[in-house]
Amino acid sequence: MGIAILALMAVGVVLMLTRVLPTAFALVLLALGIALLAGAPLSGGKNDILTSVLQTGSAALASTMIAVLLGSWLGTLMDETGIAATLVRKIVEFGGERPSIVALGVFAVSILCGSITGSAPAAMLAGVVGIPAMIAVGVTPVVAGGTVLMGISAGSPLELPVWQFLSDALGAPVGDVKAIMVKLFPMALVVGIAYVLIETRRRGTRHAWAVRLDRPKARVRRGDAPWYALITPLVPIVLALGFAVPIVPSLLVGIVYALVTTTKWGELNGRALRSLYKAFHVAAPPIVLFIAIGMLLAAVKLPGAKSALTPIVSAISPASAVWFVVVFVVLVPLCLFRGPLNVFGLGAGVAGVLVTGGIYPLSAVVGLMASYNQVFSVSDPTSTQTVWAAQYSGVRPEKAMISTLPYTWVVALGGMVLTAVLYL
């Protein structure tokens, strides 16, 4: 039975890699297939397909969906009110004609944007102004796109919706997730700075405009946001990290702060409602994915699936801390191209098996998946943020992957060593 389930997962990976099915659809079909192979009844039982997998599973990550929507709302406000663009322009003015300084500044803004909302919206917030600014002072296009992506990745350990996702998906307390993420942040920060400094020097400068000019046609140049509004990205982070405020209230306070510091009193309601509706559009793709992941997690937690998969996964999982690091670092490429270790896909099911089977401590699984998250959020050429940043820079996503992967692999190595030392 366990072999059949693993074979079904392999078929699901192939369907996602070949893009025969969108990831969310493939995950739903996988959930149904696993439930059937696990012997779950269609309805009427304690662990049936209709209620336990489809109904309960679809809403299992509801807290994550709300956090993603609020993060998207805050990101939309940062775009609409000019906060993100102002941050980038100030950095460019400060950096002058020095490519490394300008790139480091855009990298810093990308961290702030990545800590608020992930995926393509974060890349757009920092990259729409930042990428042309870097290229204009001589940063090569591939490094310009990679700088934005590395910044988003460095901000990812502070991204509150990611905390909520790992908490919901793996059943870990938010405090435990936060403890791991806070330790992962310095590694991502240092490696990101190394990427900017090394790659801008190694590849030299190229004074050529590589960004097509027709893309930002619909964007309107707005005035600068007031200086006190520029700390908006820090508001929810400080509340969550410094004052242990729960994730949703932290994001709500950030939204209110962005509104009141940038918007006239009489326009508050209109801007709030308009930006909220836009946020639904931005948040729709990840929310659909989270619905499917919830079903998959519910399926792998069924008693039949758990009893079939646990012996197999336990037998092939390294037991010692050293081999834990060696094996899972070697397997890093499997989180790329929507592979089986991508936690925003089939990797969520793998993590669910590791947790429900008791193969590793819960905190170790959180650390493992958070480490993989640092790789595919930057280097996966099928990720929306990678595709957008690379194409906006005028290069192919595969070139962005080649440029950033050696660095994100190092971050993953650091995260797994940290996980092994702390939790194994």
Side-chain angles (χ1 to χ4, degrees):
M1 185 65 67
I3 298 296
I5 292 176
L6 292 178
L8 182 63
M9 287 181 168
V11 172
V13 171
V14 172
L15 292 176
M16 286 185 279
L17 286 177
T18 56
R19 303 191 179 187
V20 173
L21 279 177
T23 301
F25 295 169
L27 294 180
V28 172
L29 291 179
L30 266 178
L32 291 172
I34 291 171
L36 290 172
L37 288 173
L42 181 62
S43 65
K46 182 181 178 182
N47 296 294
D48 64 333
I49 295 176
L50 292 183
T51 301
S52 298
V53 177
L54 298 183
Q55 175 69 24
T56 306
S58 63
L61 302 180
S63 296
T64 302
M65 298 175 205
I66 294 172
V68 167
L69 176 60
L70 294 178
S72 300
W73 190 6
L74 184 52
T76 303
L77 275 173
M78 287 176 57
D79 177 34
E80 189 170 299
T81 60
I83 293 174
T86 303
L87 281 169
V88 176
R89 281 198 293 273
K90 295 295 183 187
I91 290 296
V92 171
E93 290 170 6
F94 173 78
E97 299 296 322
R98 294 167 291 183
S100 296
I101 300 299
V102 172
L104 282 174
V106 175
F107 172 76
V109 175
S110 301
I111 292 175
L112 295 176
C113 295
S115 66
I116 293 300
T117 179
S119 195
M124 292 177 185
L125 283 173
V128 164
V129 178
I131 288 175
M134 285 187 285
I135 295 176
V137 296
V139 178
T140 57
V142 68
V143 177
T147 296
V148 170
L149 291 169
M150 292 296 292
I152 292 172
S153 175
S156 180
L158 303 179
E159 187 184 351
L160 302 188
V162 171
W163 294 8
Q164 190 68 61
F165 170 69
L166 291 175
S167 173
D168 290 345
L170 304 180
V174 172
D176 290 356
V177 176
K178 180 172 73 173
I180 296 169
M181 291 302 209
V182 169
K183 295 180 179 68
L184 196 56
F185 172 69
M187 297 182 188
L189 178 65
V190 170
V191 174
I193 292 173
Y195 172 86
V196 174
L197 295 178
I198 294 172
E199 293 300 314
T200 52
R201 290 177 181 274
R202 189 172 73 87
R203 295 176 185 266
T205 56
R206 181 178 127 184
H207 292 281
W209 191 259
V211 178
R212 293 193 294 271
L213 296 177
D214 56 340
R215 274 166 292 193
K217 188 180 297 182
R219 304 183 68 84
V220 178
R221 170 71 161 86
R222 303 181 180 92
D224 285 351
W227 67 266
Y228 44 84
L230 302 185
I231 65 171
T232 293
L234 297 177
V235 172
I237 298 172
V238 170
L239 288 175
L241 277 178
F243 298 93
V245 177
I247 291 173
V248 168
S250 296
L251 289 169
L252 283 172
V253 171
I255 290 167
V256 172
Y257 184 82
L259 279 170
V260 299
T261 55
T262 58
T263 310
K264 295 179 181 176
W265 182 256
E267 299 173 359
L268 278 176
N269 289 338
R271 171 164 279 174
L273 201 57
R274 185 173 60 251
S275 56
L276 175 58
Y277 289 163
K278 286 184 180 177
F280 273 100
H281 180 73
V282 173
I287 286 177
V288 169
L289 190 59
F290 291 140
I291 291 173
I293 290 174
M295 294 180 185
L296 178 63
L297 286 171
V300 298
K301 290 177 182 176
L302 290 170
K306 180 180 173 182
S307 61
L309 288 172
T310 299
I312 300 174
V313 177
S314 180
I316 62 176
S317 298
S320 71
V322 172
W323 281 109
F324 173 91
V325 173
V326 171
V327 170
F328 286 115
V329 166
V330 170
L331 294 180
V332 156
L334 294 182
C335 74
L336 301 174
F337 295 98
R338 304 288 174 184
L341 292 180
N342 185 324
V343 73
F344 291 95
L346 188 56
V350 174
V353 172
L354 294 175
V355 172
T356 57
I359 297 168
Y360 296 118
L362 178 57
S363 296
V365 179
V366 174
L368 177 66
M369 289 302 155
S371 301
Y372 284 135
N373 183 43
Q374 294 302 123
V375 179
F376 71 75
S377 65
V378 173
S379 303
D380 187 346
T382 67
S383 296
T384 54
Q385 64 268 29
T386 306
V387 172
W388 184 89
Q391 291 184 342
Y392 192 63
S393 303
V395 299
R396 292 179 56 81
E398 290 79 7
K399 291 192 70 174
M401 178 188 72
I402 294 171
S403 172
T404 59
L405 185 57
Y407 297 89
T408 55
W409 212 324
V410 170
V411 178
L413 169 63
M416 290 176 194
V417 169
L418 180 71
T419 299
V421 170
L422 292 178
Y423 306 116
L424 294 181

